[in-house]
Amino acid sequence: MSNVFIAFQVNEESRPVVDAILADNPNATAVYSPGLVKIDAPNSLVIKRESIEEQLGQRYDLQQMQVNLVTLSGHIDEDDDQFTLSWNH
Amino acid sequence: MDTTVKQPAMNRNQRMQALTRDLAWQVRQPEAVFPARSLEGIRIHDWSALRQPLQPTLEKYWKLQGDKDKRLYAITDAFAQNNGQLGLSDARYANAIKLLLQAFSPIEYSAHRGYARVARQLGLTDAAFQSADHLRHNQLEIHATSLFNKYFNGMHSYTEWFDHHWMLSVAKSYADDLLSAGPFEFLVAMAVGFNPIISNTLYVSYMSAAADNGDMSTSSAGLTAQSDKVRHQAAGLTLVEFLLKQDPANLPIVQAWIDKWFWRSVRLSSLVAVMQDYMLPFHSHSWQEVWAMYVEQPLQKVFETWKPLGLTLPSNWPQACEQQAHVSHQTWLRLYRYSAGLPLHVWAPNAAALDWLSKKYPGTFDAMFRPHMMGLAHQIAQGQRPQEKAAPVLCGTCQLPVPGMEGSTALSQAKTLQGRCFCSLPCQHIFNLEPEKHSAQAAYSLQRHAWSMPVTQSSDSGLFDGSQDQHNFEEWNGGMQHP
């Protein structure tokens, strides 16, 4: 088992995304460096559009995530409702 | 009137297919339209099997990119209006920006040209997006650093230095090798070389540390460039898998490219290593930590998933990993030694920096490098300044100085060898795969020895102590020195 990770710029746009990820992935941990937040999770991590919308209070398109995305590690699986990173290929 | 039937909305993948690939022309004679597809021995039977994760439609792409730039320029404008350059941790930090602009921005421009060529040669639309992205990165970096060019030396002639200065040969030869590679090699080089090793370190860890050192301008530019690179990285890794799955004949070709470009990227990353460990007055992660977190661990995992496809870790992987405890220190000592002719400043690391390096490199730093670093401080205290202006002998492949080959005797020996002098066995191996190509680069490098001095003004070079940069920064800050 190894970690997948995803990192974002730290700003008001990414905050609800980070909050949604931590809510939906209990084993995920977030580490903050200046301007950057890196979220590690064992084996897989899921990002749900609905959870972000709950945090944000507005409609959200998962592709908007790319505006503040910095890096990631893991195999990507995506559709309109969720974005998953995993090492289960 | 017929009852209208509501069509179910298409999901993302269906939309992508309908709006992009389904609109594509049927090419009846692909060999005539895309002759370069068969240039390198790569065999593709079904192009439609190629997935490109994170790829938006053109309409979405412009919106996303526009959003990114609006956000970035608000930050860089505010930085400029607020005289952000006065808030840098120290004027020594500016030398990291110089190296970014001199070495890496031109590589972004080369990547832009390379992807544009590949888009046409392979008929790969996604490469056209990547070409636009890299042009964006080149321009962002120029824009972000242009502010610093008003206040610090060592940036004014960066394109000239890239083309003519021996210190930047490592970057130029890398860019030229990319541009003269075939289209599939170019894509693999970016996927397994430039993106995992340079982008994932320089544009992630370093840019975060830049923010910590008061540079919101370059930091924001770098992090937003990285948002595109994430897309490229995902696309690149998917492409490698695609090549392997298309035909077994592709395996040895792709493996050889992986071995080559991993190594070349590692050698280039020595410049990132020295920025991370020596040019950040407020320290962050060490280069060794950055390497472990952002290169070694992720790539190990990726290659594990590729094992069933027949790929293995690059043959030079152990040697590359072993270097990472030493490379930043060796590079700093080298920059210091030749600083009289380089377009940036150097200094002796202070006591706090030495202690940080000892802590981050337990055992190796104190045993191998601390005495040398303390020697630099001693020299400066004695009034000695680096004098050497003759360039060292450069490796015939990666163009980094060959250890132990200093002085005029070595130089004349190297001229006899016509550039066939190497820093390592992997570099020699790469040279021997395409000797004509690398000979041309090596011969060009031998000429640079005569060019380096006229290109650099004395105010750009030498010790930070007593430099115009140091004097100006102190004056602007009311004569106060930052810690």
Side-chain angles (χ1 to χ4, degrees):
Chain A
M1 182 182 76
S2 5
N3 279 354
V4 295
F5 65 74
I6 190 163
F8 296 96
Q9 291 189 50
V10 174
N11 55 42
E12 283 308 299
E13 277 180 1
S14 68
R15 196 155 61 88
V17 179
V18 173
D19 290 345
I21 295 172
L22 294 176
D24 288 335
N25 298 274
N27 292 324
T29 48
V31 174
Y32 288 82
S33 321
L36 198 64
V37 55
K38 181 172 180 266
I39 302 167
D40 283 82
N43 224 41
S44 77
L45 179 152
V46 65
I47 308 175
K48 297 180 187 169
R49 180 185 51 79
E50 256 180 36
S51 304
I52 298 175
E53 287 179 349
E54 246 174 69
Q55 297 284 345
L56 186 58
Q58 286 177 33
R59 296 185 72 85
Y60 191 80
D61 178 347
L62 273 182
Q63 289 196 306
Q64 279 171 254
M65 209 171 66
Q66 286 186 38
V67 175
N68 295 300
L69 182 57
V70 172
T71 190
L72 55 80
S73 176
H75 174 72
I76 297 170
D77 194 38
E78 54 175 335
D79 62 31
D80 289 327
D81 298 318
Q82 64 181 37
F83 179 98
T84 310
L85 283 177
S86 72
W87 287 122
N88 317 318
H89 203 333
Chain B
M1 191 98 163
D2 288 337
T3 316
T4 48
V5 176
K6 194 167 182 216
Q7 299 287 350
M10 283 190 276
N11 70 25
R12 185 192 170 273
N13 293 327
Q14 290 168 330
R15 254 194 335 271
M16 277 304 287
Q17 191 67 29
L19 292 173
T20 61
R21 300 213 176 158
D22 279 357
L23 297 177
W25 289 14
Q26 291 272 358
V27 178
R28 290 190 193 284
Q29 293 178 315
E31 307 78 30
V33 178
F34 306 114
R37 281 181 178 178
S38 52
L39 200 64
E40 298 156 282
I42 292 286
R43 296 178 200 172
I44 308 293
H45 304 290
D46 177 16
W47 278 97
S48 73
L50 178 61
R51 288 193 323 114
Q52 298 281 265
L54 296 178
Q55 185 61 36
T57 56
L58 189 62
E59 177 204 16
K60 185 65 73 67
Y61 174 80
W62 293 130
K63 183 179 184 307
L64 288 174
Q65 300 305 91
D67 283 351
K68 290 176 191 177
D69 279 1
K70 264 181 241 149
R71 182 168 261 289
L72 170 70
Y73 285 103
I75 297 173
T76 55
D77 285 352
F79 188 83
Q81 287 160 17
N82 202 38
N83 282 311
Q85 74 283 356
L86 296 180
L88 293 179
S89 53
D90 184 83
R92 288 172 291 156
Y93 166 83
N95 293 284
I97 304 174
K98 298 175 196 180
L99 204 45
L100 171 73
L101 183 65
Q102 293 164 11
F104 293 102
S105 302
I107 297 180
E108 296 282 5
Y109 190 74
S110 299
H112 147 66
R113 291 175 59 203
Y115 273 115
R117 168 173 64 89
V118 165
R120 174 58 188 90
Q121 284 185 321
L122 298 184
L124 199 59
T125 313
D126 302 313
F129 285 88
Q130 285 158 8
S131 172
D133 291 336
H134 276 285
L135 181 60
R136 173 183 185 243
H137 304 164
N138 170 257
Q139 291 176 343
L140 291 183
E141 285 156 33
I142 293 169
H143 190 89
T145 52
S146 67
L147 169 80
F148 296 101
N149 181 50
K150 293 184 194 174
Y151 299 106
F152 299 100
N153 291 314
M155 282 174 260
H156 52 84
S157 302
Y158 73 98
T159 53
E160 213 183 321
W161 292 326
F162 182 78
D163 281 339
H164 299 301
H165 200 293
W166 70 261
M167 184 186 86
L168 298 163
S169 301
V170 59
K172 181 165 172 65
S173 73
Y174 186 96
D176 286 352
D177 196 345
L178 274 178
L179 285 178
S180 54
F184 285 110
E185 181 180 350
F186 177 90
L187 292 176
V188 172
M190 295 302 290
V192 185
F194 187 78
N195 280 326
I197 295 160
I198 305 296
S199 298
N200 228 21
T201 56
L202 177 61
Y203 292 98
V204 180
S205 246
Y206 172 78
M207 292 301 167
S208 164
D212 207 25
N213 279 272
D215 182 7
M216 280 314 297
S217 185
T218 317
S219 169
S220 305
L223 289 177
T224 188
Q226 181 59 26
S227 71
D228 300 327
K229 291 170 191 286
V230 147
R231 196 171 3 98
H232 301 177
Q233 197 147 328
L237 299 180
T238 310
L239 175 98
V240 169
E241 289 167 20
F242 165 77
L243 293 178
L244 269 302
K245 286 175 181 169
Q246 281 295 306
D247 197 297
N250 297 340
L251 173 59
I253 303 173
V254 172
Q255 182 74 61
W257 287 337
I258 286 174
D259 287 7
K260 169 185 171 182
W261 283 100
F262 173 78
W263 184 257
R264 286 216 73 160
S265 306
V266 169
R267 299 304 277 146
L268 177 63
S269 73
S270 61
L271 294 181
V272 186
V274 79
M275 285 164 72
Q276 187 78 24
D277 279 351
Y278 284 87
M279 296 185 184
L280 296 169
F282 291 167
H283 290 113
S284 169
H285 295 295
S286 71
W287 169 254
Q288 194 171 224
E289 286 170 333
V290 170
W291 171 268
M293 249 191 319
Y294 286 108
V295 180
E296 190 170 342
Q297 285 159 20
L299 275 183
Q300 251 170 342
K301 197 61 204 175
V302 165
F303 276 93
E304 223 178 273
T305 62
W306 283 348
K307 239 193 191 154
L309 299 170
L311 281 174
T312 61
L313 280 169
S315 53
N316 44 62
W317 174 272
Q319 190 176 352
C321 292
E322 208 179 51
Q323 279 179 16
Q324 305 314 320
H326 311 134
V327 65
S328 66
H329 321 296
Q330 289 168 342
T331 307
W332 182 255
L333 287 171
R334 195 172 287 142
L335 289 178
Y336 187 94
R337 178 183 183 148
Y338 294 103
S339 57
L342 300 184
L344 48 76
H345 294 309
V346 296
W347 53 89
N350 61 27
L354 292 178
D355 288 344
W356 179 82
L357 287 163
S358 292
K359 201 175 85 176
K360 290 294 183 178
Y361 292 90
T364 50
F365 183 76
D366 283 341
M368 296 169 69
F369 298 106
R370 186 185 265 266
H372 295 286
M373 300 299 172
M374 290 174 72
L376 303 183
H378 182 72
Q379 284 174 33
I380 295 175
Q382 300 280 308
Q384 291 169 29
R385 310 179 77 80
Q387 300 287 352
E388 205 156 339
K389 288 178 181 174
V393 172
L394 303 179
C395 170
T397 301
C398 73
Q399 308 300 322
L400 283 173
V402 178
M405 292 283 282
E406 278 89 23
S408 53
T409 317
L411 188 53
S412 47
Q413 272 180 4
K415 283 193 169 146
T416 315
L417 292 168
Q418 291 173 326
R420 290 168 195 255
C421 180
F422 304 103
C423 71
S424 58
L425 285 176
C427 275
Q428 182 176 39
H429 177 71
I430 292 169
F431 188 101
N432 289 336
L433 288 174
E434 293 175 294
E436 300 87 359
K437 173 167 167 168
H438 295 293
S439 291
Q441 180 66 62
Y444 183 57
S445 280
L446 284 173
Q447 293 171 41
R448 286 169 203 243
H449 294 94
W451 287 348
S452 63
M453 268 322 291
V455 177
T456 306
Q457 295 170 89
S458 59
S459 54
D460 297 314
S461 308
L463 284 185
F464 176 76
D465 310 65
S467 68
Q468 201 173 53
D469 277 5
Q470 182 192 43
H471 171 80
N472 286 344
F473 192 73
E474 270 175 37
E475 209 179 84
W476 300 330
N477 279 293
M480 284 175 357
Q481 256 190 355
H482 283 217

